[in-house]
Amino acid sequence: MKKPARLDIDAILDDRGTRIIVCCGAGGVGKTTTAAALGLRAAERGRCAVVLTVDPARRLAQSMGLSELDNTPRLVSSPEGDGQLYAMMLDMKRTFDEIIEAHADPERARQILSNPFYQSLSSSFSGTQEYMAMEKLGQLRRSDEWDLIIVDTPPSRSALDFLDAPERLGRFLDGRFIRMLTAPAKAGGRSAFRLLNAGFGLMAGAMTKLLGAQVIKDLQTFVSALDAVFGGFRQRAEMTYRLLQAPGTAFVVVAAPERDAMREASYFVERLAEERMPLAGLVVNRVHESPAPALSAARSAAAAEDLESRGEHELTAAVLRLHAGRMQLAARESREQEHFVSAHPTVPVVQVRAMSEDVHDLTGLRQIGDLLASA
């Protein structure tokens, strides 16, 4: 089978036209580490880079020598080279609050932020984390303080949630439920209450009895603010979506050499093509290799069996068994990658071998960056 083209990471990082790199893929494949390693390597090659992660784990902060990360970019003090590296962790609710504060007068903002329905929406609405990641990306790009933004997409059931978030929020805002609430809220006062009950009939009456007048009032207050504040959400989401389609953006799909992760990577590559978004290539993480690839699994197992049958060299036999298992694992991983390459022969690929321990500092991130850039 024809070998795929190599993904040239350094060419992407050195290209000043590249302003956004989006690391995407299934959960647990190393997106956060890859994003951090790319950010560090970019900074050490002269870029002013910021890494935006949405992973709730604290690995990124620890590996960069920071005590914590929050919604404000923090300077990583020790990268080598002429560039600068910043890192931040998305605070979903804080980002939502910042949008409210920026697009509503102080009194209206106070009413919204203290509203129970808003607090629930901003904390737990399906897709809010992915949408807020899009919002934060747009904010970072508009500020123009960094010449490279690297995004670690949210850990989620599907890697496509990041792309689908704006449309999902748009469907929510355009949905029948919200339209029914928004129309009566615009009328105000008792008229709003009558129309609310007319729109929902017996269900609204039952809700009023069950939840009480205060809950209905909170709902009306929240709905009355929808048009004033949410109107710009869809527009900004569309702007960010177009930004993701622009030539200055590069999508890096990250996968592990396992069936589910490679299948997800394949699906994501196809989706990016459908959405006309610029794919840089595939990073295959945690690839297992053997220091003695010429010794096959079958020969190694046979030699171990021969030694064991004669009761000789037990340690050597154990090492041979270990080698056989390693070669079998490498063969399985190779087959999974071959399936991807067969389906997507034009997608550049780079492999990152499995590390003996987890990355926990800048030295480890630098090593990952070296592996990403190596042939």
Side-chain angles (χ1 to χ4, degrees), residues 1 27 51 70 172 178 189 235-236 262 280-281 315 319-320 335:
M1 187 184 68
V51 177
D70 55 23
F172 169 72
I178 293 299
Q235 181 182 8
R236 289 193 304 279
M262 295 301 292
L315 180 59
V319 171
L320 287 168
R335 286 194 296 271

Side-chain angles (χ1 to χ4, degrees), residues 4-40:
R6 183 179 70 86
L7 175 59
D8 191 341
I9 289 294
D10 282 348
I12 297 171
L13 298 179
D14 293 344
D15 182 359
R16 295 286 172 161
T18 303
R19 302 297 303 274
I20 297 172
I21 296 176
V22 182
C23 295
C24 49
V29 296
K31 291 194 302 291
T32 300
T33 302
T34 299
L38 289 175
L40 179 61

Side-chain angles (χ1 to χ4, degrees), residues 180-223:
M180 292 177 69
L181 289 179
T182 305
K186 290 177 181 177
R190 294 176 58 83
S191 174
F193 186 76
R194 286 198 301 271
L195 286 171
L196 178 65
N197 277 280
F200 290 102
L202 294 176
M203 183 186 73
M207 285 177 60
T208 304
K209 292 178 182 178
L210 178 66
L211 302 176
Q214 183 59 47
V215 173
I216 296 299
K217 182 179 179 181
D218 289 339
L219 179 60
Q220 290 176 333
T221 302
F222 171 64
V223 171

Side-chain angles (χ1 to χ4, degrees), residues 19-24 31-40 48-57 60-61 64 66 69-74 76 85-92 94-95 98 128-143 146 148-155 162 240 243-244:
R19 302 297 303 274
I20 297 172
I21 296 176
V22 182
C23 295
C24 49
K31 291 194 302 291
T32 300
T33 302
T34 299
L38 289 175
L40 179 61
C48 181
V50 59
V51 177
L52 167 63
T53 182
V54 291
D55 190 336
L60 182 61
M64 291 185 168
L66 299 172
L69 290 176
D70 55 23
N71 218 39
T72 302
R74 293 174 179 265
V76 178
L85 176 61
Y86 292 78
M88 63 182 297
M89 183 182 295
L90 178 74
D91 184 329
M92 177 180 71
R94 182 61 207 144
T95 300
E98 288 172 354
T128 301
Q129 185 180 51
E130 289 81 5
Y131 181 82
M132 288 303 131
M134 296 280 278
E135 278 277 357
K136 183 56 69 174
L137 170 59
Q139 291 176 11
L140 293 172
R141 185 64 183 87
R142 288 190 296 273
S143 74
W146 300 272
L148 179 62
I149 302 166
I150 300 174
V151 183
D152 163 35
T153 52
F162 182 70
T240 304
L243 186 65
L244 292 176

